[in-house]
Structure formats: structure tokens, C-alpha cells
Amino acid sequence: MCEKKLILVLGDQLSFNNPALQQVDPAADTILLAEVTEETRYVRHNRHKIALIFSAMRHFRDELAARGHTVIHYPLEQGLGTLQAAVERALAESGAACVHACVPGEYRLHESMMQWEKTAGVPVTLHPDSRFLASTDYFRQWARGRKQLRMEYFYRAMRKRYHLLLEEDGTPAGGRWNYDAENRGGWRGQVTVPARPRPQKDQVTLSVIREVQAAFPDHPGDLERFSYAVTAQQAQLEFDWFVEHALGHFGTYQDALAEESPWLFHAVVSMYLNIGLLEPLACCRQVEAAWREGKCSLADAEGFIRQVLGWREYVRGIYWLFMPDYRERNGFDAREPLPSWFWNGQVEMRCLSRALRQTLDLGYAHHIQRLMVIGNFALLAGLDVRAVCDWYLAVYVDAFEWVELPNTLGMALHADGGLMASKPYAASGKYIQRQGDHCRQCRYDPARTTGENACPYNALYWRFIDRHEKTLAGNGRMGLVLSNWDKRPRQERRAIVEWGDRVLEQLLRDPA
Ligand code: FAD
Ligand code: DLZ
């Protein structure tokens, strides 16, 4: 039995529901929050992400202290290299005899923390992360014996488990489990996009912004535009705003692409959910209540709940079930180097350039930009899977490997051989034209496949189909596309593939 505990709270575990904080004794225990070099540099994190995490950590430190806890907080300027170094120093400072923490979200850190007991010479207890709605054991049991791990069936089980959007007899509200078909509206400026509130920056945040700007001059992120919430209270206000002003159009325009707005009617809350400022079940219940009060349609509410209760929990389950092998998968043997413009957005394809610049400047892009604009390009171009995953892990403010990796490697790049997605999310320029209004201002024409003005997505799409024809032939859902391709005259196919090679050669000229 350990009388004085050191409780480590990581930068993405900033919740009073953190399981390691459940048995804290304020009279004896010390809570540690540490800003350390290794966590800030294992990829070239967007400065928005570092600033959000540091500011939220410092605000959480103040809330803990206000509740009477003893807190040690090491700011980055103290030069601590690793979390282990921070823990060792805090053990010496506090006189604690054991360490408690919630299991970390990433495999990399979990492996390291499992060694601490040996290397630091004190007992270390890692508590299962109870902030998720499907524990890793629950997911393992759900997956056991299934031939295919499709999200839809997991999602239905979760709806029943948490009694969300159900009729009294346990059937789905409205008679259907899924309103995905109503979530695909394209954007032509049909409705006014409401202006988002921007929380005031206090002295803590302003000081963090200055420190991050000075310490990470070569990282992406325009901190002049930092406007993320940094406390649970602020994050809740943002979520309330979403439910009141955007949820009513969320379903219809979930897959839309728009020139005028980076976020359209999206919630912009993944970063808060992922670092503990918002709780997923509470958000789902609030959205269900909004539907029951008539504030949004069932398709809006179901669309949101499917993402949080379904996709978010499902990708975490996949991650922990298949790591570390999952990270090594590369089903299409994609190895082209990442072009340098992934780090500055300077590419002439309008949709891609807009999505990249917004990503780099704000640390945010919505799902269809990540999947069907940037991810689609990476898939069609055969960009190196590891390099693409590391890029996604770096640039988004909400990126942690448990959620980033299955989405990038599995969903966007189909590099897991179809474990997550029943067919590759590959699309030509026509899809992008249908979903949004970027093409109108683009120098390329989505109606053309070859020639100087042809949208590169078109030739790259058919080149991808041609190159992977054998692999794709085993996939029933690709049958129609493959037979359409095969029906075309050989000369025409060759001309398209050669144009695709040429376009790609130009686009990939300067590797990052
Ligand atoms: P909304 O569209 O408003 O959706 C509501 C919530 O649903 C999100 O906040 C998020 O918590 C959840 N959600 C939606 N889709 C997914 C999904 N596919 N997986 C997990 N949760 C989901 N999400 C991250 O949180 N971190 C990442 O690093 C990340 N990387 C991605 C990489 C790729 C290639 C792709 C295709 C998707 C990625 N996503 C990631 C999922 C999704 O794009 C983001 O969660 C979403 O864009 C966040 O914006 P939002 O809060 O406005 O979401
Ligand atoms: C992402 C991040 C960053 C940038 N910095 C810190 C930090 O200095 N201290 C800390 O405790 N956590 C940080 N994090 C979050 C961790 O990287 C995260 O806990 C792991 O990746 C596990 O998900």
C-alpha cells in the first residue's frame, strides 16, 4: 500500500473523470502535469495543437489547485526531455512512493510507461481509460469471431448499449439505424453559414502563445488566429453554440466542400473530446435531446451520434486491437515521397490547396477535406503510407495516433487491405465538383481527363484503378468501375494512364 501517490495527468487527459484522479487523497497525494520536449517533437506538431494542450494543461492545473490539490507543473522552459524524467523529478520533490496514471492514448507512450516501474524503481499503476464508451475489452469481445469488422454493426450495438435514439421497444428511432444517404448534400451556398464565437484569450493563453511561437519557429500553425477553447467550461459553450446554431444543417452538409468556410456546420469539437474537455456521452445525449425538442432533424442528430458513438469509438477499438502491426501495413505498396507543398499548400488544385492551407494555418479541416481531398490525393498518387500518417499526426490539432492512424492508414489510404473500409475511398474530380464550389475557381476542369487543363484527380483516379486492377478485382464493390475501365479502348486507357504518370511526375517533383 502506497501512502503518498504521484498522479501523472497527460496533456490529453484533462478531465476530472480521469480514472487516475478518482482515488486522489488531497492531503497526501501530488498531481503532476509536465510539458516535455519529447511529446512536443515526436512529429512536427501544429503550433495550435501545442498551444491548445499547454494552455488547457495550465488551466487544469489552476482548477486542481483551486479544489485543494497539491499540483506540480513543469513548464516547457524547464527543459525536461521526457515524461519519465519529469516523473522522476516529481517523485523526488514530492516524496511520493508510487505513480498512478490513466493509460495513454498512444501505443508508443504506453510501451514506454510499461517500463517505468523497472527504470524508475517505484510501483506504477495504469488505470484503464474509462472516458471512452467502448473499453478495449468490450471491442475485443465484439470483434471476436467476426469475419468483417464493419463499423455499422458496432454502431448498432453501441446505440442499444447506451440507449441512444431508440424507440421504447429498442428499435431505432424513425425505423432506420442510419441516415447516411441524407448526409451527402453538395454546397452551392444554399444557406448562410453562421459566424462562430471566438473565446477571449486570457493571460495564460497569451503567454503560452508567445512561448510556443518562440520555441517552435519551424512548425506549422498561424497562432495569430488561435481561437480554441482551453477549459471544459469554454468547450461546453462552443458545443452549446453548435447545437443551437449549426446542428440543424449538420446532417445535410456533412459531406460538403465550401470556399467560404473551413468548418461549415461541423461541430469543431474533436480536439476537446480528445483531450478531455468534453465527454462523448454527454455530447450525444445533448444532441438527442435537441432532436427530441425539435431543434434538428433525426438525420442531423443520427449523423452526429454516428460519428461520436460509432466512428470515434470504433477507430480506437481497431487501433488497440491491431497495434503495433497495424502501423506497418501498406496494402497498395505506396512509397512515393510526400511533395514539399504538403507543408505550404502551394499547389494549383484549388480544393487541395484550400484544404492544405487551412490545415496548416488552423490545425483543422473537416472530414471530407481530410478524406476525399487530401487523403484521396495521397491514395491516388501512391504517397508513402508512413509519411502520410506522420503528416496527419503532425498537422491537426485533434491528432492522436489512436484516432489518426486508423482514419489515415485504414480509411483514407486503404492500406490495411480493407479491414476498415469495404472499398477504397478513391474518387475523381467529379465527386469534388458535386460536393462543393471549389472547381468554379480552379484552373483545372473536372470534366476533362487529359490535357493541360484537365483536373489531375481524373487521370490519377483511372491510373489508380489500372495499377491496382488485380487487387481490386477481388472486391465485389469495385466490379462496375473495373468493367467500365476495361470496356474502354486500349489506346484510350493507355493515353489516360500516361497522362496520369506525367501529371504525377510534375506534382511530386519536390519531395518534402
Ligand atoms: P464533426 O464532423 O462535427 O463530427 C463530430 C465528431 O465526431 C468529431 O468531433 C469527432 O469526435 C467524431 N468523428 C467524426 N468522424 C470521425 C472519425 N472518422 N473518427 C473518429 N471520430 C470521428 N479525428 C480526430 O479526432 N483526430 C484525428 O487525428 C483525425 N484524423 C483523421 C484523418 C483522416 C485521414 C480522416 C479521414 C479523418 C480523421 N479524423 C480525425 C476524423 C474526422 O475527420 C475528425 O474527427 C473531424 O473532422 C473533426 O472535426 P469536427 O469536430 O468538426 O467533426
Ligand atoms: C500532444 C502533447 C504535447 C504536444 N505535449 C505534451 C506535453 O508536453 N505533456 C504531456 O503530458 N502531453 C503532451 N501531449 C499529449 C501526449 O503526446 C499524449 O498524452 C500522448 O500522445 C498519448 O496520447
Side-chain angles (χ1 to χ4, degrees):
M1 184 58 188
C2 162
E3 279 175 13
K4 286 179 89 170
K5 304 195 280 287
L6 179 68
I7 299 169
L8 171 67
V9 174
L10 297 171
D12 56 350
Q13 300 176 340
L14 307 175
S15 157
F16 286 98
N17 292 331
N18 180 329
L21 290 175
Q22 298 316 299
Q23 276 134 39
V24 59
D25 175 358
D29 300 338
T30 302
I31 299 171
L32 168 65
L33 292 132
E35 299 168 12
V36 300
T37 319
E38 189 172 64
E39 294 310 304
T40 60
R41 295 203 184 270
Y42 66 89
V43 285
R44 193 145 66 102
H45 295 292
N46 196 304
R47 289 188 279 197
H48 282 276
K49 178 175 173 187
I50 306 176
L52 167 68
I53 288 180
F54 283 8
S55 180
M57 284 171 86
R58 293 181 193 189
H59 282 93
F60 195 61
R61 165 201 67 193
D62 296 344
E63 287 179 51
L64 287 164
R67 291 187 186 199
H69 295 288
T70 305
V71 187
I72 295 179
H73 168 251
Y74 297 130
L76 191 69
E77 67 186 22
Q78 297 220 356
L80 284 161
T82 61
L83 286 164
Q84 185 181 338
V87 163
E88 286 173 1
R89 184 155 143 199
L91 281 168
E93 252 180 58
S94 64
C98 63
V99 178
H100 283 245
C102 169
V103 280
E106 297 190 344
Y107 187 88
R108 158 194 74 81
L109 189 56
H110 189 236
E111 287 293 285
S112 158
M113 287 172 80
M114 302 263 276
Q115 301 305 315
W116 286 2
E117 191 152 305
K118 250 192 258 151
T119 46
V122 291
V124 176
T125 306
L126 295 183
H127 300 262
D129 198 339
S130 51
R131 295 171 306 136
F132 286 90
L133 303 175
S135 67
T136 48
D137 281 348
Y138 175 86
F139 191 83
R140 196 177 295 277
Q141 274 171 29
W142 173 81
R144 189 166 293 144
R146 284 175 192 264
K147 279 203 191 116
Q148 289 188 324
L149 303 181
R150 293 288 169 250
M151 197 293 289
E152 180 62 25
Y153 296 105
F154 169 76
Y155 166 58
R156 291 180 191 182
M158 292 291 281
R159 286 265 296 276
K160 289 183 196 153
R161 190 169 184 220
Y162 285 95
H163 208 85
L164 276 158
L165 296 183
L166 295 186
E167 305 290 356
E168 278 182 8
D169 63 358
T171 57
R176 272 157 60 195
W177 287 105
N178 188 312
Y179 290 81
D180 196 17
E182 285 161 48
N183 297 156
R184 294 182 192 146
W187 185 251
R188 298 289 181 268
Q190 297 92 328
V191 267
T192 307
V193 182
R196 287 192 173 253
R198 293 168 63 91
Q200 287 289 317
K201 293 188 268 287
D202 65 7
Q203 283 310 317
V204 174
T205 300
L206 290 171
S207 150
V208 163
I209 287 176
R210 278 194 298 275
E211 290 169 45
V212 171
Q213 246 153 356
F216 304 97
D218 57 340
H219 288 221
D222 176 3
L223 286 183
E224 296 292 326
R225 298 170 71 185
F226 184 89
S227 67
Y228 291 109
V230 291
T231 65
Q233 202 188 16
Q234 287 176 353
Q236 184 60 48
L237 286 175
E238 289 203 11
F239 189 66
D240 293 344
W241 180 90
F242 162 72
V243 172
E244 226 29 67
H245 302 280
L247 177 62
H249 293 299
F250 174 82
T252 311
Y253 299 114
Q254 204 175 332
D255 285 4
L257 294 162
E259 279 284 316
E260 71 186 271
S261 167
W263 31 69
L264 271 172
F265 301 98
H266 288 272
V268 195
V269 290
S270 45
M271 60 299 287
Y272 310 136
L273 287 164
N274 295 353
I275 69 171
L277 301 188
L278 287 178
E279 299 286 335
L281 187 57
C283 290
C284 290
R285 294 226 186 279
Q286 191 172 335
V287 164
E288 175 169 14
W291 166 62
R292 293 198 185 277
E293 288 159 22
K295 290 183 179 164
C296 65
S297 70
L298 181 54
D300 294 317
E302 191 280 321
F304 180 87
I305 289 173
R306 183 176 354 114
Q307 307 310 324
V308 175
L309 182 73
W311 280 110
R312 185 170 184 271
E313 298 290 331
Y314 169 82
V315 296
R316 177 171 177 266
I318 293 283
Y319 178 78
W320 284 108
L321 195 56
F322 292 102
M323 279 295 279
D325 154 74
Y326 197 75
R327 196 169 142 72
E328 306 308 321
R329 297 190 184 194
N330 190 347
F332 289 124
D333 195 30
R335 307 207 181 266
E336 294 288 355
L338 207 68
S340 60
W341 45 262
F342 261 67
W343 291 103
N344 59 31
Q346 285 172 16
V347 60
E348 288 187 291
M349 297 150 82
R350 178 87 182 179
C351 55
L352 192 50
S353 169
R354 298 285 286 194
L356 288 170
R357 281 178 195 217
Q358 164 195 328
T359 295
L360 297 164
D361 287 350
L362 304 174
Y364 178 84
H366 63 70
H367 189 66
I368 291 303
Q369 293 177 304
R370 296 189 206 199
L371 183 64
M372 300 310 294
V373 178
I374 305 174
N376 185 28
F377 178 84
L379 171 72
L380 301 183
L383 299 189
D384 183 72
V385 171
R386 176 61 67 82
V388 176
C389 291
D390 283 351
W391 181 85
Y392 272 93
L393 188 58
V395 294
Y396 290 107
V397 71
D398 57 15
F400 297 93
E401 202 186 45
W402 63 266
V403 53
E404 174 279 323
L405 191 69
N407 270 301
T408 310
L409 187 148
M411 196 187 301
L413 302 180
H414 208 76
D416 63 4
L419 179 73
M420 266 182 63
S422 56
K423 79 182 191 43
Y425 282 95
S428 69
K430 279 201 192 82
Y431 172 86
I432 290 166
Q433 184 186 29
R434 191 174 65 234
Q435 291 312 117
D437 57 0
H438 292 306
C439 302
R440 287 184 196 162
Q441 295 187 49
C442 185
R443 98 156 179 80
Y444 295 112
D445 181 354
R448 300 188 58 185
T449 304
T450 55
E452 285 304 328
N453 288 334
C455 170
Y457 278 109
N458 290 337
L460 292 180
Y461 175 76
W462 290 115
R463 178 182 174 275
F464 171 81
I465 298 294
D466 189 73
R467 277 167 80 90
H468 299 295
E469 197 164 5
K470 276 206 188 98
T471 317
L472 299 174
N475 184 323
R477 293 193 64 200
M478 295 302 291
L480 188 64
V481 171
L482 291 172
S483 76
N484 282 343
W485 178 239
D486 285 336
K487 271 187 218 146
R488 293 191 182 198
R490 183 188 295 262
Q491 279 296 94
E492 189 182 317
R493 279 186 280 152
R494 187 179 305 153
I496 293 174
V497 171
E498 280 175 8
W499 184 258
D501 286 342
R502 191 169 143 188
V503 163
L504 195 59
E505 204 266 321
Q506 282 167 5
L507 283 166
L508 302 186
R509 201 160 277 160
D510 299 315

